Amino acid sequence: MFIRTRCLQITAALASISLLAGCGLLSDDSSDAAKRIVVGTTSAPSTLDPAAAWDGSWELYRNVYQTLLAFPTGSTKPQPDAAQTCEFTDSANESYRCTLKKGLKFSNGEPLDAKAVKHSLDRIRTINSQTGPKDLFGSLDKIETPDALTVVFHLKTPDATFPFVLGSPAASLVAPKDYPADKVREDGKITGSGPFVLDSYKEGGEAVLGKNASYNGFANRRNDGVTIRYFADSTKMVAALKAKEIDATYRGLSAPEIKDLQTPAAHSEGVQVVENVGAEIRYLVFNPKDPQVAKLPVRQAIAQIVDRGAIVSKVYQGTAEPLYSMVPKGVVGHKTPFYDKYGQADVKKAQKLLKDAGIPTPVDLTFWYTTDRYGASTADEFTELKRQLDESGLFKVTLRGQPWKVFQVGYKNGEYPVFGRGWFPDFPDPDNFIAPFVGKENAVGTPYEPNEILTDLLPKSRRESDRSAGVREFEQAQQIFAEDVRLLPLWQGKLYVAAREDIAGAERALDPQTAMQMWELYRKTSW
């Protein structure tokens, strides 16, 4: 379901001929094939320290930090990276042992040994950053290092998803001398052991990556280095692509821009668009601290009015599809409980919900969104949501936007009654579309503690090493989400990489976390 690698049919050759290098039609056997690549994105890191980021910063982390396990192109199960081997040592899935490769080093020459692994992961929980990935390690009890190459993770409860967490950028390994055990590193530098090193960094400007001479991992680097340029405006990013100032773009393209880049005119200008299967989702979060949103009929009425089809057709123009569950289509256990319960948009049903509950209308609400994280279409999406709810006569919606850094702090502090979020999977498992959103502390900053999910469904599913065996539990959890409407799924997107026609490897560049593996990109020199 998350397999990214696929050779295109010959009939598509004229539309995207430069992707066919993997099928043997193009040659990349040239010294020029390794030249530096320049990639544009609207998703700038919020921090360079992995202990404090559970967001699009992972894009950079995947390329400069190493993890014990990883997801090579085409894999949906974690494979060894810094580790030589990893396995559960008990039938209950409560003790997980990894043996490291010998001779690993960080870019500062410091050894990457068992103590460094323990330091890297312990500090995530010690620092306990509000915006960090600590919640992904909720099942971890303690870490032991019986020798220099052995790390043993003792879990509080059975958790067959723990290897997936170790394969995500949440478990990025850092050099102990440069990363304090109890606070975030803030000098604007990175010391990792990944495929690339950070040669220079300008916040909001660019990250210049060079090859890590001491790297020992799964990545096959196809270029000499990558410069990542950060754009606040996707319009400027597309203009830079067309002007040959950058070689590829990722994250932040609006639907009209994608459509434009797919036209024959764009192809004639030397631009190609690679479409990938995606598990990216967008959803609304309802904060029960707000007196209006705390009322279930209000949330249900919104769910009854929202027309996903209109959002997809008007705003995203076919680059997304309606989503009726937090678990997207293509992921094991996907169902459509929001459609089953609410069906098509129906204002009369919403009106009855509010009237029966004695709630006067119109209900005043403020919807918040981030202006610079998910692309230019986000503002249009929220304008369409406002139109739908306002025209019902049952709601009066005010829109507010904030840059990601401000927005992230705001929703984590519970300041927004209703806000929009995007979710890119931490790892390819249905658990990752359920567990992060529940609990007293969760990924959206609004405590949500459905007892059945927390005490029964998730624990049961995590005992299953065969992840498809937990389908029933995930289906039940999705139904509970639809009943409670604390989250409202809106749409599921496709993933697009736009690149100059001489750039190859884009079809292999996305891992299961949808982070771009920059080492896969290279410059072709012959046709």
Side-chain angles (χ1 to χ4, degrees):
M1 57 189 171
F2 285 88
I3 296 177
R4 308 296 192 192
T5 309
R6 54 187 185 275
C7 285
L8 304 180
Q9 295 180 356
I10 300 301
T11 54
L14 294 178
S16 53
I17 192 169
S18 56
L19 301 186
L20 292 169
C23 301
L25 298 184
L26 299 171
S27 170
D28 63 333
D29 185 16
S30 169
S31 59
D32 290 335
K35 285 182 178 178
R36 174 173 292 275
I37 307 294
V38 182
V39 177
T41 179
T42 61
S43 183
S46 57
T47 173
L48 299 185
D49 190 330
W54 191 1
D55 59 21
S57 304
W58 283 17
E59 202 109 68
L60 178 61
Y61 298 171
R62 174 54 78 200
N63 292 279
V64 294
Y65 293 111
Q66 202 169 12
T67 46
L68 288 172
L69 301 169
F71 294 89
T73 301
S75 66
T76 57
K77 292 183 179 180
Q79 308 294 325
D81 188 8
Q84 186 70 40
T85 60
C86 286
E87 62 182 351
F88 280 105
T89 58
D90 64 332
S91 59
N93 292 338
E94 290 183 326
S95 181
Y96 195 70
R97 178 188 297 265
C98 289
T99 302
L100 294 170
K101 294 176 181 175
K102 294 180 180 179
L104 291 178
K105 292 183 179 181
F106 291 102
S107 57
N108 65 353
E110 195 174 349
L112 198 174
D113 56 14
K115 289 183 179 179
V117 173
K118 177 176 169 58
H119 173 87
S120 298
L121 303 186
D122 277 349
R123 67 188 296 270
I124 294 172
R125 298 187 295 165
T126 299
I127 294 171
N128 197 30
S129 171
Q130 194 176 34
T131 57
K134 63 184 187 308
D135 293 338
L136 285 174
F137 296 91
S139 64
L140 179 58
D141 182 21
K142 62 180 180 179
I143 303 173
E144 292 183 341
T145 55
D147 59 58
L149 295 179
T150 305
V151 186
V152 181
F153 301 93
H154 296 284
L155 309 182
K156 302 172 187 175
T157 57
D159 186 1
T161 71
F162 188 71
F164 291 80
V165 176
L166 292 183
S168 76
S172 295
L173 303 177
V174 299
K177 289 181 181 178
D178 290 341
Y179 291 80
D182 57 356
K183 62 181 180 180
V184 173
R185 181 179 183 179
E186 296 180 338
D187 63 357
K189 298 180 180 179
I190 284 176
T191 312
S193 59
F196 297 105
V197 294
L198 184 67
D199 289 334
S200 65
Y201 179 72
K202 180 180 179 182
E203 185 174 357
E206 67 177 19
V208 179
L209 311 183
K211 276 188 174 181
N212 181 1
S214 61
Y215 173 65
N216 180 8
F218 75 93
N220 177 24
R221 293 168 294 187
R222 309 293 299 275
N223 58 66
D224 277 344
V226 176
T227 296
I228 306 172
R229 287 184 56 190
Y230 300 111
F231 292 83
D233 186 333
S234 63
T235 302
K236 293 180 179 179
M237 181 171 70
V238 171
L241 178 68
K242 290 183 175 181
K244 301 183 181 181
E245 295 170 3
I246 61 176
D247 298 306
T249 69
Y250 181 55
R251 291 266 192 254
L253 292 174
S254 69
E257 287 165 346
I258 293 169
K259 291 294 185 181
D260 173 65
L261 292 172
Q262 290 175 324
T263 62
H267 287 303
S268 68
E269 294 177 347
V271 176
Q272 57 172 314
V273 177
V274 184
E275 178 182 316
N276 290 271
V277 176
E280 168 192 1
I281 67 173
R282 293 287 196 278
Y283 58 96
L284 292 178
V285 182
F286 297 105
N287 186 350
K289 289 182 179 180
D290 180 79
Q292 295 285 26
V293 170
K295 303 168 186 175
L296 177 60
V298 169
R299 304 195 301 270
Q300 290 178 325
I302 294 172
Q304 191 66 73
I305 291 172
V306 168
D307 185 343
R308 296 167 176 82
I311 294 172
V312 166
S313 62
K314 292 181 179 180
V315 179
Y316 292 101
Q317 302 177 25
T319 62
E321 57 184 308
L323 180 64
Y324 297 93
S325 170
M326 291 298 288
V327 178
K329 186 166 70 174
V331 175
V332 172
H334 165 75
K335 290 291 184 180
T336 57
F338 280 85
Y339 185 84
D340 300 339
K341 183 171 178 61
Y342 303 101
Q344 298 289 352
D346 193 320
V347 173
K348 288 185 177 180
K349 287 182 180 179
Q351 185 177 38
K352 186 176 187 304
L353 283 166
L354 295 174
K355 183 177 180 181
D356 289 350
I359 297 172
T361 57
V363 179
D364 287 327
L365 289 175
T366 301
F367 281 31
W368 291 79
Y369 63 93
T370 177
T371 57
D372 60 353
R373 172 60 48 169
Y374 306 125
S377 297
T378 304
D380 295 334
E381 175 183 342
F382 274 76
T383 298
E384 173 61 19
L385 283 168
K386 172 180 167 59
R387 183 197 66 78
Q388 293 178 13
L389 292 167
D390 285 356
E391 287 188 1
S392 74
L394 303 176
F395 293 91
K396 184 178 180 181
V397 175
T398 300
L399 299 181
R400 293 283 186 269
Q402 290 280 19
W404 174 251
K405 282 195 173 184
V406 178
F407 177 81
Q408 187 180 34
V409 173
Y411 80 73
K412 283 288 187 177
N413 288 334
E415 297 173 7
Y416 307 149
V418 185
F419 58 94
R421 283 294 315 275
W423 187 253
F424 307 95
D426 301 315
F427 51 84
D429 189 276
D431 183 284
N432 195 234
F433 293 92
I434 302 292
F437 307 109
V438 297
K440 187 174 182 179
E441 295 183 357
N442 57 48
V444 294
T446 56
Y448 175 37
E449 301 177 80
N451 185 63
E452 186 178 0
I453 293 178
L454 289 169
T455 63
D456 181 30
L457 301 179
L458 284 177
K460 278 185 179 178
S461 70
R462 288 176 172 178
R463 295 189 190 103
E464 300 290 348
S465 295
D466 177 2
R467 300 307 296 144
S468 63
V471 167
R472 186 184 68 84
E473 285 76 23
F474 292 122
E475 290 176 351
Q476 288 181 255
Q478 291 171 77
Q479 188 60 44
I480 292 170
F481 276 8
E483 297 289 340
D484 293 347
V485 203
R486 287 290 305 278
L487 305 153
L488 183 64
L490 297 174
W491 56 267
Q492 174 179 352
K494 301 172 185 177
L495 296 173
Y496 295 89
V497 177
R500 302 297 310 175
E501 64 182 355
D502 65 331
I503 300 299
E507 77 281 10
R508 294 180 54 85
L510 303 181
D511 74 357
Q513 289 96 17
T514 71
M516 182 174 275
Q517 302 174 140
M518 301 292 181
W519 60 83
E520 293 283 4
L521 301 176
Y522 63 96
R523 195 179 307 278
K524 299 193 306 293
T525 58
S526 60
W527 293 81

